[in-house]
Amino acid sequence: MRGFCAVMVAFLATLPADKSVVERAKERNVFVHAKTQQGSGVIVDCNGKTGRVLSNFHLLKTDEPVGVNGNEVSILKVSPKDDLILLRVEC
């Protein structure tokens, strides 16, 4: 769980201060999907070319290709015990 907390602290530090928390969160929310499963995720960073999306592992526990907002992604890290998955996306 410490790793998750560190990711969330880093994510919150990247949010611009001139918007409400809800507005900032909406900008980073994405649709995460496989062929037979779907859910949501949050963009934790984006450097202009690639980024990382954090989602729940149980949503994507499958051998099917995983996508974010219709685009195929790669899996960077999985933590089944924390129910988290970190995905690499094109920005």
Side-chain angles (χ1 to χ4, degrees):
M1 193 56 129
R2 274 188 233 157
F4 172 73
C5 291
V7 168
M8 291 310 297
V9 167
F11 162 68
L12 292 172
T14 67
L15 298 176
D18 62 337
K19 296 182 180 179
S20 76
V21 172
V22 173
E23 289 172 325
R24 291 180 278 166
K26 283 181 182 179
E27 292 173 359
R28 300 212 178 210
N29 190 39
V30 293
F31 175 64
V32 180
H33 53 85
K35 186 175 180 181
T36 60
Q37 300 177 34
Q38 61 188 13
S40 64
V42 63
I43 300 170
V44 292
D45 70 11
C46 183
N47 66 15
K49 292 185 179 184
T50 62
R52 295 182 297 170
V53 170
L54 186 65
S55 188
N56 292 106
F57 174 71
H58 74 270
L59 294 172
L60 303 170
K61 192 176 179 181
T62 177
D63 293 332
E64 301 168 358
V66 176
V68 170
N69 290 352
N71 300 307
E72 199 166 312
V73 299
S74 58
I75 298 172
L76 291 174
K77 192 168 185 175
V78 175
S79 178
K81 74 177 181 93
D82 296 318
D83 192 29
L84 295 172
I85 188 168
L86 189 63
L87 306 168
R88 179 186 168 150
V89 298
E90 300 294 320
C91 295

